Amino acid sequence: MPNGSMDSDKYVLFIDDTGNREAKMAIGLVEKQDNGMDCFALGGVLIKGEAIDDVQDKHKSFCLDWGIDYPLHSSRIRGARGKFGWLGSRENRDAFLSELQTFILSLPVIAIACVVDREGYSSRYGNIYHNHLWPMSKTVFSILLERAAKFADRHDRRLEVYFEESGKKEDRRLVLRQVRN
């Protein structure tokens, strides 16, 4: 995590994905997900460089208040799974989600995302490109970064990008090359 105290010339984008990135699901080549979510999304938050320390402090305080020393992973929170099993109690869940919402809304961040509907994507491009569809992850990554870069540029700031690590092979797909100044 970058230190924000000297970064007033940039926005930092923290991104994560959700959904199955396989475009072929809609044309029957891959099974649909059990949760009915037939899309792929990549999104996150844009934070002014100088606000990062404030966001980190608020995150630390929220986690301390709840006795959490593990990541706030949304799918585990929503499903009350793993270390968030204690959210299985309606009373705990209601109290936690209410405070989590208040915490998130207090942050000086801008939410940004790109969501692709798998069926629409496959029907639009499947007949043209057949088995050579661009991976949905590549599509949303390109669109998301273009949107974030344009936003940063409109505010005369550079863009720095961080993503949740998911595995060596997957991470290498995102890091195409290192640019040296």
mmCIF file of all heavy atoms in Angstrom, residues 91-139:
data_model
loop_
_atom_site.group_PDB
_atom_site.id
_atom_site.type_symbol
_atom_site.label_atom_id
_atom_site.label_comp_id
_atom_site.label_asym_id
_atom_site.label_seq_id
_atom_site.Cartn_x
_atom_site.Cartn_y
_atom_site.Cartn_z
ATOM 1 N N GLU A 91 -28.649 -10.577 14.270
ATOM 2 C CA GLU A 91 -28.303 -9.410 15.092
ATOM 3 C C GLU A 91 -26.883 -8.930 14.765
ATOM 4 O O GLU A 91 -26.657 -7.735 14.552
ATOM 5 C CB GLU A 91 -28.411 -9.775 16.576
ATOM 6 C CG GLU A 91 -28.182 -8.602 17.505
ATOM 7 C CD GLU A 91 -28.335 -9.000 18.971
ATOM 8 O OE1 GLU A 91 -29.103 -9.937 19.259
ATOM 9 O OE2 GLU A 91 -27.682 -8.352 19.802
ATOM 10 N N ASN A 92 -25.930 -9.851 14.713
ATOM 11 C CA ASN A 92 -24.550 -9.492 14.365
ATOM 12 C C ASN A 92 -24.470 -8.922 12.950
ATOM 13 O O ASN A 92 -23.791 -7.932 12.705
ATOM 14 C CB ASN A 92 -23.632 -10.711 14.461
ATOM 15 C CG ASN A 92 -23.358 -11.136 15.877
ATOM 16 O OD1 ASN A 92 -23.602 -10.401 16.829
ATOM 17 N ND2 ASN A 92 -22.861 -12.354 16.028
ATOM 18 N N ARG A 93 -25.155 -9.602 12.029
ATOM 19 C CA ARG A 93 -25.112 -9.197 10.621
ATOM 20 C C ARG A 93 -25.664 -7.783 10.448
ATOM 21 O O ARG A 93 -25.054 -6.950 9.794
ATOM 22 C CB ARG A 93 -25.914 -10.192 9.784
ATOM 23 C CG ARG A 93 -25.900 -9.902 8.302
ATOM 24 C CD ARG A 93 -26.722 -10.966 7.560
ATOM 25 N NE ARG A 93 -26.607 -10.810 6.147
ATOM 26 C CZ ARG A 93 -25.626 -11.268 5.401
ATOM 27 N NH1 ARG A 93 -24.643 -11.939 5.948
ATOM 28 N NH2 ARG A 93 -25.587 -11.063 4.109
ATOM 29 N N ASP A 94 -26.834 -7.515 11.031
ATOM 30 C CA ASP A 94 -27.451 -6.189 10.892
ATOM 31 C C ASP A 94 -26.565 -5.089 11.466
ATOM 32 O O ASP A 94 -26.372 -4.046 10.834
ATOM 33 C CB ASP A 94 -28.830 -6.164 11.558
ATOM 34 C CG ASP A 94 -29.876 -6.977 10.798
ATOM 35 O OD1 ASP A 94 -29.602 -7.403 9.656
ATOM 36 O OD2 ASP A 94 -30.963 -7.195 11.365
ATOM 37 N N ALA A 95 -26.006 -5.329 12.646
ATOM 38 C CA ALA A 95 -25.149 -4.319 13.284
ATOM 39 C C ALA A 95 -23.883 -4.096 12.464
ATOM 40 O O ALA A 95 -23.490 -2.953 12.202
ATOM 41 C CB ALA A 95 -24.794 -4.751 14.709
ATOM 42 N N PHE A 96 -23.257 -5.192 12.039
ATOM 43 C CA PHE A 96 -22.009 -5.076 11.283
ATOM 44 C C PHE A 96 -22.239 -4.383 9.943
ATOM 45 O O PHE A 96 -21.499 -3.454 9.580
ATOM 46 C CB PHE A 96 -21.379 -6.456 11.062
ATOM 47 C CG PHE A 96 -20.119 -6.403 10.253
ATOM 48 C CD1 PHE A 96 -18.928 -5.976 10.830
ATOM 49 C CD2 PHE A 96 -20.114 -6.765 8.917
ATOM 50 C CE1 PHE A 96 -17.752 -5.915 10.079
ATOM 51 C CE2 PHE A 96 -18.945 -6.704 8.165
ATOM 52 C CZ PHE A 96 -17.767 -6.282 8.749
ATOM 53 N N LEU A 97 -23.240 -4.822 9.187
ATOM 54 C CA LEU A 97 -23.483 -4.235 7.867
ATOM 55 C C LEU A 97 -23.854 -2.758 7.959
ATOM 56 O O LEU A 97 -23.461 -1.967 7.098
ATOM 57 C CB LEU A 97 -24.548 -5.024 7.109
ATOM 58 C CG LEU A 97 -24.133 -6.426 6.678
ATOM 59 C CD1 LEU A 97 -25.273 -7.136 5.961
ATOM 60 C CD2 LEU A 97 -22.880 -6.402 5.805
ATOM 61 N N SER A 98 -24.564 -2.391 8.997
ATOM 62 C CA SER A 98 -24.902 -0.980 9.193
ATOM 63 C C SER A 98 -23.634 -0.157 9.426
ATOM 64 O O SER A 98 -23.450 0.905 8.815
ATOM 65 C CB SER A 98 -25.859 -0.840 10.381
ATOM 66 O OG SER A 98 -26.110 0.526 10.642
ATOM 67 N N GLU A 99 -22.765 -0.637 10.294
ATOM 68 C CA GLU A 99 -21.516 0.093 10.570
ATOM 69 C C GLU A 99 -20.561 0.038 9.378
ATOM 70 O O GLU A 99 -19.834 0.999 9.124
ATOM 71 C CB GLU A 99 -20.861 -0.434 11.842
ATOM 72 C CG GLU A 99 -21.611 0.007 13.078
ATOM 73 C CD GLU A 99 -20.837 -0.241 14.359
ATOM 74 O OE1 GLU A 99 -19.583 -0.173 14.332
ATOM 75 O OE2 GLU A 99 -21.497 -0.487 15.379
ATOM 76 N N LEU A 100 -20.563 -1.080 8.653
ATOM 77 C CA LEU A 100 -19.717 -1.189 7.455
ATOM 78 C C LEU A 100 -20.161 -0.161 6.414
ATOM 79 O O LEU A 100 -19.331 0.516 5.802
ATOM 80 C CB LEU A 100 -19.790 -2.607 6.877
ATOM 81 C CG LEU A 100 -18.979 -2.855 5.610
ATOM 82 C CD1 LEU A 100 -17.484 -2.675 5.861
ATOM 83 C CD2 LEU A 100 -19.264 -4.265 5.069
ATOM 84 N N GLN A 101 -21.467 -0.022 6.242
ATOM 85 C CA GLN A 101 -21.986 0.974 5.303
ATOM 86 C C GLN A 101 -21.578 2.386 5.716
ATOM 87 O O GLN A 101 -21.112 3.171 4.885
ATOM 88 C CB GLN A 101 -23.507 0.878 5.223
ATOM 89 C CG GLN A 101 -24.113 1.918 4.292
ATOM 90 C CD GLN A 101 -25.622 1.805 4.202
ATOM 91 O OE1 GLN A 101 -26.223 0.811 4.582
ATOM 92 N NE2 GLN A 101 -26.253 2.839 3.690
ATOM 93 N N THR A 102 -21.723 2.704 6.979
ATOM 94 C CA THR A 102 -21.332 4.025 7.484
ATOM 95 C C THR A 102 -19.839 4.255 7.253
ATOM 96 O O THR A 102 -19.427 5.331 6.810
ATOM 97 C CB THR A 102 -21.672 4.151 8.984
ATOM 98 O OG1 THR A 102 -23.087 3.987 9.142
ATOM 99 C CG2 THR A 102 -21.245 5.497 9.542
ATOM 100 N N PHE A 103 -19.034 3.237 7.532
ATOM 101 C CA PHE A 103 -17.585 3.323 7.320
ATOM 102 C C PHE A 103 -17.262 3.593 5.847
ATOM 103 O O PHE A 103 -16.523 4.522 5.519
ATOM 104 C CB PHE A 103 -16.916 2.035 7.799
ATOM 105 C CG PHE A 103 -15.559 1.774 7.216
ATOM 106 C CD1 PHE A 103 -14.490 2.608 7.489
ATOM 107 C CD2 PHE A 103 -15.346 0.683 6.385
ATOM 108 C CE1 PHE A 103 -13.235 2.369 6.950
ATOM 109 C CE2 PHE A 103 -14.099 0.437 5.840
ATOM 110 C CZ PHE A 103 -13.043 1.281 6.118
ATOM 111 N N ILE A 104 -17.830 2.790 4.963
ATOM 112 C CA ILE A 104 -17.531 2.929 3.530
ATOM 113 C C ILE A 104 -17.960 4.300 3.017
ATOM 114 O O ILE A 104 -17.222 4.957 2.275
ATOM 115 C CB ILE A 104 -18.194 1.795 2.722
ATOM 116 C CG1 ILE A 104 -17.502 0.464 3.045
ATOM 117 C CG2 ILE A 104 -18.131 2.074 1.228
ATOM 118 C CD1 ILE A 104 -18.207 -0.749 2.487
ATOM 119 N N LEU A 105 -19.139 4.752 3.432
ATOM 120 C CA LEU A 105 -19.629 6.061 2.968
ATOM 121 C C LEU A 105 -18.811 7.225 3.514
ATOM 122 O O LEU A 105 -18.849 8.323 2.965
ATOM 123 C CB LEU A 105 -21.102 6.227 3.317
ATOM 124 C CG LEU A 105 -22.061 5.302 2.552
ATOM 125 C CD1 LEU A 105 -23.480 5.444 3.075
ATOM 126 C CD2 LEU A 105 -21.995 5.570 1.048
ATOM 127 N N SER A 106 -18.053 6.990 4.589
ATOM 128 C CA SER A 106 -17.229 8.054 5.159
ATOM 129 C C SER A 106 -15.901 8.227 4.430
ATOM 130 O O SER A 106 -15.198 9.213 4.651
ATOM 131 C CB SER A 106 -16.945 7.765 6.637
ATOM 132 O OG SER A 106 -15.950 6.758 6.782
ATOM 133 N N LEU A 107 -15.564 7.271 3.583
ATOM 134 C CA LEU A 107 -14.249 7.300 2.933
ATOM 135 C C LEU A 107 -14.207 8.289 1.770
ATOM 136 O O LEU A 107 -15.157 8.372 0.987
ATOM 137 C CB LEU A 107 -13.893 5.900 2.415
ATOM 138 C CG LEU A 107 -13.768 4.814 3.468
ATOM 139 C CD1 LEU A 107 -13.522 3.456 2.805
ATOM 140 C CD2 LEU A 107 -12.661 5.139 4.462
ATOM 141 N N PRO A 108 -13.097 9.003 1.636
ATOM 142 C CA PRO A 108 -12.942 9.936 0.515
ATOM 143 C C PRO A 108 -12.478 9.194 -0.743
ATOM 144 O O PRO A 108 -11.330 9.317 -1.183
ATOM 145 C CB PRO A 108 -11.872 10.904 1.026
ATOM 146 C CG PRO A 108 -11.018 10.053 1.927
ATOM 147 C CD PRO A 108 -11.973 9.081 2.576
ATOM 148 N N VAL A 109 -13.392 8.382 -1.299
ATOM 149 C CA VAL A 109 -13.056 7.568 -2.473
ATOM 150 C C VAL A 109 -14.093 7.774 -3.560
ATOM 151 O O VAL A 109 -15.205 8.235 -3.305
ATOM 152 C CB VAL A 109 -12.963 6.064 -2.124
ATOM 153 C CG1 VAL A 109 -11.931 5.813 -1.041
ATOM 154 C CG2 VAL A 109 -14.310 5.493 -1.712
ATOM 155 N N ILE A 110 -13.722 7.390 -4.761
ATOM 156 C CA ILE A 110 -14.635 7.396 -5.899
ATOM 157 C C ILE A 110 -14.712 5.961 -6.398
ATOM 158 O O ILE A 110 -13.684 5.354 -6.719
ATOM 159 C CB ILE A 110 -14.112 8.320 -7.017
ATOM 160 C CG1 ILE A 110 -14.025 9.747 -6.502
ATOM 161 C CG2 ILE A 110 -14.987 8.215 -8.257
ATOM 162 C CD1 ILE A 110 -13.187 10.656 -7.367
ATOM 163 N N ALA A 111 -15.923 5.408 -6.443
ATOM 164 C CA ALA A 111 -16.107 4.048 -6.952
ATOM 165 C C ALA A 111 -16.125 4.092 -8.469
ATOM 166 O O ALA A 111 -16.688 5.003 -9.080
ATOM 167 C CB ALA A 111 -17.402 3.457 -6.422
ATOM 168 N N ILE A 112 -15.480 3.097 -9.084
ATOM 169 C CA ILE A 112 -15.418 3.030 -10.543
ATOM 170 C C ILE A 112 -15.379 1.560 -10.931
ATOM 171 O O ILE A 112 -14.751 0.749 -10.248
ATOM 172 C CB ILE A 112 -14.186 3.808 -11.084
ATOM 173 C CG1 ILE A 112 -14.198 3.852 -12.610
ATOM 174 C CG2 ILE A 112 -12.899 3.235 -10.530
ATOM 175 C CD1 ILE A 112 -13.165 4.813 -13.188
ATOM 176 N N ALA A 113 -16.099 1.209 -12.005
ATOM 177 C CA ALA A 113 -16.158 -0.200 -12.404
ATOM 178 C C ALA A 113 -16.542 -0.340 -13.865
ATOM 179 O O ALA A 113 -17.046 0.601 -14.486
ATOM 180 C CB ALA A 113 -17.165 -0.947 -11.544
ATOM 181 N N CYS A 114 -16.327 -1.529 -14.367
ATOM 182 C CA CYS A 114 -16.820 -1.927 -15.678
ATOM 183 C C CYS A 114 -17.432 -3.310 -15.497
ATOM 184 O O CYS A 114 -16.781 -4.217 -14.981
ATOM 185 C CB CYS A 114 -15.692 -1.965 -16.702
ATOM 186 S SG CYS A 114 -16.274 -2.523 -18.327
ATOM 187 N N VAL A 115 -18.689 -3.449 -15.899
ATOM 188 C CA VAL A 115 -19.403 -4.717 -15.793
ATOM 189 C C VAL A 115 -19.832 -5.136 -17.192
ATOM 190 O O VAL A 115 -20.385 -4.331 -17.945
ATOM 191 C CB VAL A 115 -20.652 -4.579 -14.892
ATOM 192 C CG1 VAL A 115 -21.381 -5.913 -14.773
ATOM 193 C CG2 VAL A 115 -20.259 -4.046 -13.515
ATOM 194 N N VAL A 116 -19.573 -6.403 -17.538
ATOM 195 C CA VAL A 116 -19.963 -6.922 -18.841
ATOM 196 C C VAL A 116 -20.954 -8.058 -18.637
ATOM 197 O O VAL A 116 -20.680 -9.011 -17.906
ATOM 198 C CB VAL A 116 -18.735 -7.424 -19.639
ATOM 199 C CG1 VAL A 116 -19.173 -8.070 -20.940
ATOM 200 C CG2 VAL A 116 -17.768 -6.293 -19.919
ATOM 201 N N ASP A 117 -22.117 -7.945 -19.281
ATOM 202 C CA ASP A 117 -23.117 -8.999 -19.266
ATOM 203 C C ASP A 117 -22.638 -10.099 -20.220
ATOM 204 O O ASP A 117 -22.423 -9.847 -21.414
ATOM 205 C CB ASP A 117 -24.460 -8.430 -19.727
ATOM 206 C CG ASP A 117 -25.496 -9.497 -19.932
ATOM 207 O OD1 ASP A 117 -25.928 -10.100 -18.932
ATOM 208 O OD2 ASP A 117 -25.867 -9.735 -21.107
ATOM 209 N N ARG A 118 -22.486 -11.296 -19.682
ATOM 210 C CA ARG A 118 -21.920 -12.401 -20.462
ATOM 211 C C ARG A 118 -22.772 -12.734 -21.691
ATOM 212 O O ARG A 118 -22.266 -12.898 -22.788
ATOM 213 C CB ARG A 118 -21.760 -13.631 -19.576
ATOM 214 C CG ARG A 118 -21.084 -14.775 -20.254
ATOM 215 C CD ARG A 118 -20.783 -15.913 -19.299
ATOM 216 N NE ARG A 118 -19.732 -15.495 -18.369
ATOM 217 C CZ ARG A 118 -19.938 -15.140 -17.113
ATOM 218 N NH1 ARG A 118 -21.140 -15.171 -16.611
ATOM 219 N NH2 ARG A 118 -18.949 -14.762 -16.350
ATOM 220 N N GLU A 119 -24.096 -12.816 -21.508
ATOM 221 C CA GLU A 119 -24.959 -13.179 -22.633
ATOM 222 C C GLU A 119 -24.916 -12.117 -23.733
ATOM 223 O O GLU A 119 -24.798 -12.436 -24.909
ATOM 224 C CB GLU A 119 -26.391 -13.381 -22.151
ATOM 225 C CG GLU A 119 -27.290 -13.939 -23.232
ATOM 226 C CD GLU A 119 -28.669 -14.266 -22.711
ATOM 227 O OE1 GLU A 119 -28.857 -14.342 -21.487
ATOM 228 O OE2 GLU A 119 -29.568 -14.454 -23.555
ATOM 229 N N GLY A 120 -24.989 -10.843 -23.335
ATOM 230 C CA GLY A 120 -24.931 -9.771 -24.317
ATOM 231 C C GLY A 120 -23.586 -9.725 -25.033
ATOM 232 O O GLY A 120 -23.514 -9.537 -26.245
ATOM 233 N N TYR A 121 -22.520 -9.943 -24.279
ATOM 234 C CA TYR A 121 -21.167 -9.944 -24.837
ATOM 235 C C TYR A 121 -21.019 -11.053 -25.871
ATOM 236 O O TYR A 121 -20.539 -10.834 -26.985
ATOM 237 C CB TYR A 121 -20.178 -10.131 -23.694
ATOM 238 C CG TYR A 121 -18.717 -9.972 -24.035
ATOM 239 C CD1 TYR A 121 -18.150 -8.707 -24.160
ATOM 240 C CD2 TYR A 121 -17.888 -11.074 -24.182
ATOM 241 C CE1 TYR A 121 -16.806 -8.551 -24.428
ATOM 242 C CE2 TYR A 121 -16.540 -10.931 -24.456
ATOM 243 C CZ TYR A 121 -16.004 -9.658 -24.579
ATOM 244 O OH TYR A 121 -14.667 -9.515 -24.848
ATOM 245 N N SER A 122 -21.466 -12.252 -25.492
ATOM 246 C CA SER A 122 -21.334 -13.402 -26.387
ATOM 247 C C SER A 122 -22.221 -13.273 -27.615
ATOM 248 O O SER A 122 -21.796 -13.602 -28.723
ATOM 249 C CB SER A 122 -21.663 -14.692 -25.644
ATOM 250 O OG SER A 122 -20.701 -14.924 -24.649
ATOM 251 N N SER A 123 -23.445 -12.767 -27.432
ATOM 252 C CA SER A 123 -24.333 -12.646 -28.594
ATOM 253 C C SER A 123 -23.866 -11.547 -29.535
ATOM 254 O O SER A 123 -24.009 -11.660 -30.748
ATOM 255 C CB SER A 123 -25.782 -12.423 -28.168
ATOM 256 O OG SER A 123 -25.927 -11.190 -27.517
ATOM 257 N N ARG A 124 -23.291 -10.494 -28.990
ATOM 258 C CA ARG A 124 -22.818 -9.384 -29.829
ATOM 259 C C ARG A 124 -21.560 -9.768 -30.608
ATOM 260 O O ARG A 124 -21.429 -9.446 -31.781
ATOM 261 C CB ARG A 124 -22.537 -8.158 -28.970
ATOM 262 C CG ARG A 124 -22.038 -6.967 -29.797
ATOM 263 C CD ARG A 124 -21.880 -5.715 -28.962
ATOM 264 N NE ARG A 124 -23.205 -5.273 -28.538
ATOM 265 C CZ ARG A 124 -23.509 -4.894 -27.298
ATOM 266 N NH1 ARG A 124 -22.586 -4.888 -26.363
ATOM 267 N NH2 ARG A 124 -24.714 -4.505 -26.987
ATOM 268 N N TYR A 125 -20.625 -10.442 -29.941
ATOM 269 C CA TYR A 125 -19.331 -10.698 -30.572
ATOM 270 C C TYR A 125 -19.100 -12.159 -30.963
ATOM 271 O O TYR A 125 -18.199 -12.454 -31.731
ATOM 272 C CB TYR A 125 -18.199 -10.244 -29.648
ATOM 273 C CG TYR A 125 -18.289 -8.777 -29.314
ATOM 274 C CD1 TYR A 125 -18.586 -8.350 -28.032
ATOM 275 C CD2 TYR A 125 -18.110 -7.810 -30.301
ATOM 276 C CE1 TYR A 125 -18.687 -7.003 -27.723
ATOM 277 C CE2 TYR A 125 -18.213 -6.462 -30.012
ATOM 278 C CZ TYR A 125 -18.505 -6.066 -28.718
ATOM 279 O OH TYR A 125 -18.606 -4.734 -28.424
ATOM 280 N N GLY A 126 -19.920 -13.079 -30.463
ATOM 281 C CA GLY A 126 -19.740 -14.503 -30.739
ATOM 282 C C GLY A 126 -19.841 -14.855 -32.206
ATOM 283 O O GLY A 126 -19.063 -15.663 -32.718
ATOM 284 N N ASN A 127 -20.803 -14.270 -32.907
ATOM 285 C CA ASN A 127 -20.970 -14.560 -34.336
ATOM 286 C C ASN A 127 -19.846 -13.988 -35.183
ATOM 287 O O ASN A 127 -19.563 -14.491 -36.259
ATOM 288 C CB ASN A 127 -22.310 -14.013 -34.834
ATOM 289 C CG ASN A 127 -23.476 -14.774 -34.242
ATOM 290 O OD1 ASN A 127 -23.323 -15.939 -33.855
ATOM 291 N ND2 ASN A 127 -24.624 -14.119 -34.144
ATOM 292 N N ILE A 128 -19.229 -12.933 -34.693
ATOM 293 C CA ILE A 128 -18.150 -12.290 -35.449
ATOM 294 C C ILE A 128 -16.817 -13.000 -35.204
ATOM 295 O O ILE A 128 -16.085 -13.310 -36.128
ATOM 296 C CB ILE A 128 -18.029 -10.803 -35.057
ATOM 297 C CG1 ILE A 128 -19.325 -10.064 -35.381
ATOM 298 C CG2 ILE A 128 -16.844 -10.147 -35.765
ATOM 299 C CD1 ILE A 128 -19.404 -8.664 -34.785
ATOM 300 N N TYR A 129 -16.517 -13.271 -33.921
ATOM 301 C CA TYR A 129 -15.204 -13.797 -33.557
ATOM 302 C C TYR A 129 -15.212 -15.281 -33.208
ATOM 303 O O TYR A 129 -14.170 -15.866 -32.970
ATOM 304 C CB TYR A 129 -14.634 -12.994 -32.380
ATOM 305 C CG TYR A 129 -14.441 -11.545 -32.726
ATOM 306 C CD1 TYR A 129 -15.307 -10.574 -32.240
ATOM 307 C CD2 TYR A 129 -13.417 -11.145 -33.578
ATOM 308 C CE1 TYR A 129 -15.146 -9.242 -32.573
ATOM 309 C CE2 TYR A 129 -13.244 -9.817 -33.919
ATOM 310 C CZ TYR A 129 -14.117 -8.868 -33.415
ATOM 311 O OH TYR A 129 -13.950 -7.551 -33.747
ATOM 312 N N HIS A 130 -16.390 -15.892 -33.142
ATOM 313 C CA HIS A 130 -16.575 -17.321 -32.870
ATOM 314 C C HIS A 130 -15.781 -17.754 -31.644
ATOM 315 O O HIS A 130 -16.029 -17.262 -30.565
ATOM 316 C CB HIS A 130 -16.233 -18.148 -34.111
ATOM 317 C CG HIS A 130 -16.996 -17.692 -35.316
ATOM 318 N ND1 HIS A 130 -18.344 -17.937 -35.488
ATOM 319 C CD2 HIS A 130 -16.618 -16.950 -36.393
ATOM 320 C CE1 HIS A 130 -18.748 -17.379 -36.611
ATOM 321 N NE2 HIS A 130 -17.735 -16.770 -37.186
ATOM 322 N N ASN A 131 -14.855 -18.640 -31.799
ATOM 323 C CA ASN A 131 -14.090 -19.161 -30.665
ATOM 324 C C ASN A 131 -12.890 -18.293 -30.306
ATOM 325 O O ASN A 131 -12.037 -18.707 -29.535
ATOM 326 C CB ASN A 131 -13.622 -20.591 -30.932
ATOM 327 C CG ASN A 131 -14.771 -21.558 -30.944
ATOM 328 O OD1 ASN A 131 -15.759 -21.352 -30.245
ATOM 329 N ND2 ASN A 131 -14.652 -22.605 -31.739
ATOM 330 N N HIS A 132 -12.808 -17.113 -30.879
ATOM 331 C CA HIS A 132 -11.671 -16.234 -30.616
ATOM 332 C C HIS A 132 -12.109 -14.953 -29.907
ATOM 333 O O HIS A 132 -11.559 -13.882 -30.134
ATOM 334 C CB HIS A 132 -10.941 -15.899 -31.919
ATOM 335 C CG HIS A 132 -10.476 -17.103 -32.656
ATOM 336 N ND1 HIS A 132 -9.458 -17.897 -32.204
ATOM 337 C CD2 HIS A 132 -10.923 -17.681 -33.801
ATOM 338 C CE1 HIS A 132 -9.285 -18.908 -33.042
ATOM 339 N NE2 HIS A 132 -10.163 -18.792 -34.009
ATOM 340 N N LEU A 133 -13.138 -15.071 -29.056
ATOM 341 C CA LEU A 133 -13.584 -13.900 -28.286
ATOM 342 C C LEU A 133 -12.459 -13.416 -27.391
ATOM 343 O O LEU A 133 -11.735 -14.221 -26.805
ATOM 344 C CB LEU A 133 -14.776 -14.263 -27.399
ATOM 345 C CG LEU A 133 -16.139 -14.378 -28.065
ATOM 346 C CD1 LEU A 133 -17.156 -14.895 -27.058
ATOM 347 C CD2 LEU A 133 -16.581 -13.054 -28.623
ATOM 348 N N TRP A 134 -12.338 -12.105 -27.300
ATOM 349 C CA TRP A 134 -11.394 -11.513 -26.354
ATOM 350 C C TRP A 134 -11.872 -11.874 -24.962
ATOM 351 O O TRP A 134 -13.071 -11.767 -24.675
ATOM 352 C CB TRP A 134 -11.399 -10.005 -26.549
ATOM 353 C CG TRP A 134 -10.084 -9.336 -26.445
ATOM 354 C CD1 TRP A 134 -8.854 -9.884 -26.641
ATOM 355 C CD2 TRP A 134 -9.855 -7.953 -26.143
ATOM 356 N NE1 TRP A 134 -7.881 -8.942 -26.486
ATOM 357 C CE2 TRP A 134 -8.473 -7.742 -26.171
ATOM 358 C CE3 TRP A 134 -10.683 -6.887 -25.853
ATOM 359 C CZ2 TRP A 134 -7.882 -6.512 -25.925
ATOM 360 C CZ3 TRP A 134 -10.102 -5.663 -25.606
ATOM 361 C CH2 TRP A 134 -8.725 -5.480 -25.642
ATOM 362 N N PRO A 135 -11.009 -12.306 -24.064
ATOM 363 C CA PRO A 135 -11.470 -12.639 -22.711
ATOM 364 C C PRO A 135 -12.164 -11.437 -22.064
ATOM 365 O O PRO A 135 -11.727 -10.300 -22.219
ATOM 366 C CB PRO A 135 -10.180 -12.984 -21.959
ATOM 367 C CG PRO A 135 -9.205 -13.343 -23.023
ATOM 368 C CD PRO A 135 -9.579 -12.520 -24.229
ATOM 369 N N MET A 136 -13.255 -11.712 -21.356
ATOM 370 C CA MET A 136 -14.002 -10.630 -20.713
ATOM 371 C C MET A 136 -13.115 -9.860 -19.755
ATOM 372 O O MET A 136 -13.246 -8.652 -19.603
ATOM 373 C CB MET A 136 -15.222 -11.191 -19.995
ATOM 374 C CG MET A 136 -16.274 -11.684 -20.966
ATOM 375 S SD MET A 136 -17.657 -12.537 -20.191
ATOM 376 C CE MET A 136 -18.343 -11.257 -19.195
ATOM 377 N N SER A 137 -12.185 -10.551 -19.097
ATOM 378 C CA SER A 137 -11.293 -9.881 -18.152
ATOM 379 C C SER A 137 -10.425 -8.849 -18.864
ATOM 380 O O SER A 137 -10.160 -7.777 -18.328
ATOM 381 C CB SER A 137 -10.424 -10.893 -17.419
ATOM 382 O OG SER A 137 -9.702 -11.698 -18.338
ATOM 383 N N LYS A 138 -9.998 -9.155 -20.063
ATOM 384 C CA LYS A 138 -9.174 -8.217 -20.825
ATOM 385 C C LYS A 138 -10.005 -7.002 -21.252
ATOM 386 O O LYS A 138 -9.534 -5.868 -21.209
ATOM 387 C CB LYS A 138 -8.596 -8.931 -22.051
ATOM 388 C CG LYS A 138 -7.519 -8.184 -22.765
ATOM 389 C CD LYS A 138 -6.874 -9.047 -23.835
ATOM 390 C CE LYS A 138 -5.740 -8.352 -24.514
ATOM 391 N NZ LYS A 138 -5.089 -9.185 -25.522
ATOM 392 N N THR A 139 -11.253 -7.257 -21.625
ATOM 393 C CA THR A 139 -12.147 -6.178 -22.035
ATOM 394 C C THR A 139 -12.408 -5.224 -20.876
ATOM 395 O O THR A 139 -12.231 -4.012 -21.005
ATOM 396 C CB THR A 139 -13.478 -6.756 -22.550
ATOM 397 O OG1 THR A 139 -13.204 -7.610 -23.659
ATOM 398 C CG2 THR A 139 -14.433 -5.652 -22.964
#
